């Protein structure tokens, strides 16, 4: 549908035709096998082998990392408008976005690392993500507050004398965290100073602690890179959406219980988390909308087919 509004260049037209064929002949037929391999028990303990086959074919066809903004040479050099036409096609299949390494939350996390990560952070986390060797999670939403406004987030990053941080908090709807390939999470929280040792009372301690928070609610937000195997990262449960678990990707509730990370885990700088979030969530929401157009088209086709079946 998008090409009706946007004339396609010969290169984008060729990519679209190749992607259409890939989705229709490889991804859609593989969905049943993918679900069968997942089974009904321990669905977050394995990844169906068919996914790696699809990823290898997408790479061979030149359909890999299509989402990357054109200013980054690691991608296909497409504009958002050009990518929209292709994302619509991947949205027709539950498997195609990951098969082309264009699935959330990895795309948003990779863009964060590309735009805001240090050279060391990119080498450690971005490179394997771009290759599709690992997956990642984004931990922002919390059960106790209205997390649609990131300023409400309560997760604490207690600054240590060595420059590192102790993380305390609880997150949920952490998409991707249940995937056995998930190796790193980007966590949003607020930096606070460590409490003094000689507090006169619990009440005074609570008051002092609150005063130590950065005064600007949005300016307090900070993002850290946290390895999923760090001690204290506890996956509490898998959450469902209308009864679906979205395995093996999943959506988790996670407790961060005195998780220790070094100063090298800090993204961009203290108090820059809201800035990063805006840069990440803007393109991420647009990508979801692009794919959902294709998903809606497939749903309509299936409904029409069922309605006309004698």
């Amino acid at each position: 549908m998008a090409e009706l509004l946007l004339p396609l260049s010969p290169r984008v037209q060729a990519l679209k035709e190749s992607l259409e064929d890939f989705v229709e002949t490889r991804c859609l037929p593989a969905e049943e096998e993918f679900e069968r391999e997942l089974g009904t028990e321990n669905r977050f303990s394995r990844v169906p082998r068919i996914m790696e086959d699809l990823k290898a074919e997408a790479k061979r066809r030149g359909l890999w990392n299509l989402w990357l903004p054109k200013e980054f040479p690691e991608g296909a050099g497409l504009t958002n408008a050009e990518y929209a036409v292709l994302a619509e096609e991947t949205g027709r299949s539950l498997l195609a976005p990951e098969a082309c390494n264009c699935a959330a939350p990895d795309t948003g996390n990779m863009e964060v690392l590309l735009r805001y990560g240090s050279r060391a952070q990119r080498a450690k986390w971005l490179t394997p993500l771009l290759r599709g060797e690992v997956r990642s999670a984004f931990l922002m939403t919390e059960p106790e507050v209205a997390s649609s406004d990131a300023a409400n987030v309560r997760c604490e990053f207690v600054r240590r004398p060595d420059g590192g941080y102790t993380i305390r908090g609880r997150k949920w709807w952490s998409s991707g965290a249940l995937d056995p390939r998930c190796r790193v999470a980007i966590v949003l929280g607020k930096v606070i100073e460590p409490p003094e040792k000689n507090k006169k009372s619990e009440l005074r301690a609570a008051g002092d602690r609150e005063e130590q928070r950065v005064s600007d609610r949005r300016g307090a937000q900070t993002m850290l890179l946290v390895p999923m195997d760090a001690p204290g990262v506890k996956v509490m449960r898998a959450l469902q959406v209308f009864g679906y678990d979205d395995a093996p990707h999943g959506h988790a509730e996670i407790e961060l219980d005195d998780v220790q990370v070094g100063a090298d885990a800090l993204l961009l700088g203290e108090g820059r988390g809201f800035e990063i979030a805006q840069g990440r969530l803007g393109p991420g929401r647009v990508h979801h909308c692009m794919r959902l157009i294709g998903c809606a088209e497939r749903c309509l086709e299936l409904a029409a087919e069922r309605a006309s079946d004698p």
Side-chain angles (χ1 to χ4, degrees):
M1 295 296 292
E3 65 270 22
L4 298 177
L5 303 175
L6 177 70
L8 304 182
S9 69
R11 177 169 177 265
V12 175
Q13 181 64 43
L15 283 171
K16 182 176 183 296
E17 292 173 0
S18 179
L19 189 57
E20 285 177 344
D21 181 71
F22 176 62
V23 170
E24 295 298 325
T25 65
R26 297 291 286 116
C27 295
L28 292 179
E31 289 179 353
E32 186 174 343
E33 179 180 347
F34 184 90
E35 191 63 26
R36 186 169 56 249
E37 284 191 46
L38 273 179
T40 58
E41 298 182 357
N42 301 318
R43 286 165 57 84
F44 298 104
S45 64
R46 57 189 174 275
V47 179
R49 291 168 296 176
I50 188 66
M51 179 53 70
E52 290 304 315
D53 295 339
L54 293 173
K55 288 162 65 175
E57 182 165 346
K59 289 180 180 179
R60 287 196 299 270
R61 291 179 178 234
L63 301 175
W64 191 254
N65 285 332
L66 298 172
W67 65 273
L68 272 164
K70 64 178 182 179
E71 61 263 35
F72 297 110
E74 297 89 346
L78 303 174
T79 66
N80 274 334
E82 290 171 331
Y83 176 59
V85 178
L86 306 180
E88 179 183 333
E89 294 301 326
T90 63
R92 292 180 58 81
S93 169
L94 298 174
L95 306 183
E98 182 183 345
C100 297
N101 212 36
C102 294
D106 296 329
T107 52
N109 291 343
M110 285 188 276
E111 188 158 1
V112 164
L113 288 164
L114 278 164
R115 295 190 183 279
Y116 311 112
S118 67
R119 181 176 299 179
Q121 289 169 341
R122 291 195 297 269
K124 184 174 183 178
W125 300 118
L126 176 62
T127 298
L129 282 167
L130 285 171
R131 292 174 179 167
E133 298 168 352
V134 302
R135 298 211 65 184
S136 62
F138 186 66
L139 279 58
M140 183 180 87
T141 306
E142 298 179 1
E144 293 90 1
V145 298
S147 303
S148 53
D149 181 355
N152 294 325
V153 167
R154 295 178 179 175
C155 182
E156 297 180 345
F157 301 157
V158 183
R159 190 187 297 113
R160 301 198 310 260
D162 63 358
Y165 302 89
T166 298
I167 306 173
R168 299 177 183 135
R170 185 178 290 263
K171 301 287 185 177
W172 70 346
W173 299 110
S174 302
S175 297
L178 292 159
D179 195 305
R181 301 161 296 176
C182 184
R183 296 292 181 268
V184 64
I186 295 178
V187 183
L188 180 70
K190 295 180 178 180
V191 174
I192 65 171
E193 299 288 349
E196 297 176 8
K197 296 181 180 180
N198 58 347
K199 299 297 182 183
K200 295 181 179 180
S201 67
E202 289 298 322
L203 182 60
R204 175 69 182 276
D208 288 350
R209 187 176 181 182
E210 193 62 30
E211 289 176 4
Q212 288 167 353
R213 295 180 182 274
V214 180
S215 58
D216 183 345
R217 295 172 70 235
R218 287 188 169 82
Q221 306 300 332
T222 299
M223 288 192 185
L224 297 176
L225 289 162
V226 179
M228 287 297 294
D229 60 358
V233 177
K234 303 175 182 178
V235 176
M236 308 303 292
R237 59 171 175 149
L239 304 171
Q240 295 186 345
V241 182
F242 298 125
Y244 293 93
D245 61 7
D246 289 330
H249 181 63
H251 314 281
E253 181 172 353
I254 296 178
E255 182 179 354
L256 302 166
D257 184 12
D258 285 341
V259 179
Q260 307 294 317
V261 296
D264 57 350
L266 180 63
L267 276 166
L268 192 59
E270 290 186 5
R272 308 290 295 275
F274 194 79
E275 175 185 346
I276 298 172
Q278 292 305 296
R280 181 193 187 280
L281 296 176
R285 295 295 179 265
V286 172
H287 291 174
H288 279 308
C289 293
M290 294 170 177
R291 288 188 294 268
L292 284 171
I293 293 173
C295 179
E297 289 172 346
R298 183 184 176 195
C299 290
L300 183 59
E301 291 169 6
L302 290 171
E305 181 181 339
R306 180 176 177 84
S308 60
D309 186 353

